Amino acid sequence: MVDDLMLQSKVVETLRSAGHETIADDGGDADLIVADLDAIEIDRVAAMGPPKLGFCQHTDTVARRRAERAGFDRVVPRSRMARELPELVRALLARDRDSD
């Protein structure tokens, strides 16, 4: 759930390179949601079932806190998401499998 097309293509390319299948939809069939907190309704996405990785500008502490309180599994600055996306996804998916 990323509106910025340049960033979206980078997210898709990074995840595919790491061996993940990607879909761009409402997140209903996903194993994990990657969401730009500036581009979504935080509470609506937080209510969805799969684990959620949110990202925002490092200075946007309001969005970060709101997403964490709403139930996002992980919220990181945009720069960290771009740098560590495969590792963040791997950790969230592993944690989700371990909780089953």
Side-chain angles (χ1 to χ4, degrees):
M1 298 181 171
V2 181
D3 281 351
D4 179 315
L5 293 179
M6 294 292 287
L7 183 57
Q8 183 184 54
S9 66
K10 182 175 180 159
V11 167
V12 168
E13 180 183 322
T14 300
L15 291 174
R16 286 184 179 160
S17 294
H20 299 285
E21 182 178 336
T22 60
I23 56 174
D25 67 4
D26 64 1
D29 295 327
D31 293 329
L32 175 87
I33 295 173
V34 177
D36 181 348
L37 298 180
D38 292 331
I40 61 160
E41 294 177 39
I42 291 174
D43 294 325
R44 183 183 69 80
V45 174
M48 294 178 178
K52 289 153 284 298
L53 169 62
F55 63 91
C56 57
Q57 295 293 328
H58 73 279
T59 56
D60 194 350
T61 58
V62 172
R64 180 186 183 104
R65 287 187 192 121
R66 187 166 168 223
E68 290 170 342
R69 281 194 305 268
F72 270 69
D73 299 276
R74 190 79 190 263
V75 180
V76 298
R78 181 183 300 265
S79 59
R80 183 170 180 200
M81 187 278 305
R83 192 176 56 246
E84 300 176 21
L85 183 58
E87 295 83 8
L88 292 165
V89 167
R90 194 171 16 262
L92 283 172
L93 291 174
R95 189 176 85 187
D96 188 52
R97 280 190 292 270
D98 291 344
S99 68
D100 287 342

